[in-house]
Amino acid sequence: MAAITRFDFEITFHGPFRVALGQGGPGVHNTISQRDALPGSSLKGVVRATAELLLGQENPVLAEVFGSSRKPCPWHWSSPVPRPTAPGDRPAWYPAMPSARVRIDRKPRTAAEDMLSIAEQTGAESATFAVTQTARIEDLATHQDVLVVAAQATRSLGALRRRGLGWVGIACTSHEPDEAAVRRFLQLKQP
């Protein structure tokens, strides 16, 4: 294999996010991992979802770049590492914070019985991650366009992202896309 390609990214968090473990804990219905609050696999999934939205769900380039049940992904997605908030600080996610949600019955406009949920969430000012080549790639330029443009088009991640949680900005710090890259990306769209 030729030289390994690596793309470096920075995520700016515009509020808290939640990638839940799917299990409860003391006083909460759903917990997060403080060690790996945002797994690389979750990040890859949300960037793939953005690419699907922009390029079409059945687009064959998605399997080429992100992998499929028949072909493994040729990229390793690292878990983001939060940036220290002050010089000398260790990188760490904000401490887990509980967040309550309640379902409202439409007719009486009151809280539904037994529908209170308390879940943990976390955040950071920003974090960095890398996407590193792990296999031979025929069309590296197309992969670069898809990875960089889809990542930068991603605006939310984690649970409840359509309800105001997990809003982010992602920027590729090693390969800034230009207008030509965005045009090439959009030309991949399936009719």
Side-chain angles (χ1 to χ4, degrees), residues 16-136:
F17 70 91
R18 175 185 312 124
V19 176
L21 294 173
Q23 61 191 34
V28 294
H29 298 100
N30 220 333
T31 58
I32 59 172
S33 168
Q34 275 298 138
R35 200 179 74 236
D36 194 12
L38 182 52
S41 59
S42 294
L43 198 50
K44 173 185 156 191
V46 78
V47 172
R48 181 187 181 123
T50 300
E52 285 178 2
L53 182 68
L54 296 172
L55 299 178
Q57 195 170 14
E58 303 299 321
N59 195 316
V61 77
L62 297 171
E64 284 294 317
V65 175
F66 296 99
S68 68
S69 59
R70 295 182 187 171
K71 183 177 182 181
C73 179
W75 300 97
H76 169 73
W77 291 67
S78 71
S79 292
V81 175
R83 292 207 177 208
T85 53
D89 285 355
R90 290 186 48 199
W93 298 106
Y94 294 155
M97 302 169 282
S99 172
R101 291 195 58 215
V102 64
R103 191 173 105 204
I104 304 294
D105 277 341
R106 290 179 188 243
K107 194 165 188 164
R109 303 290 298 159
T110 60
E113 189 173 333
D114 296 328
M115 285 300 172
L116 173 65
S117 173
I118 300 175
E120 292 180 337
Q121 59 191 27
T122 190
E125 287 186 29
S126 64
T128 58
F129 70 96
V131 178
T132 308
Q133 183 181 354
T134 60
R136 187 171 181 274

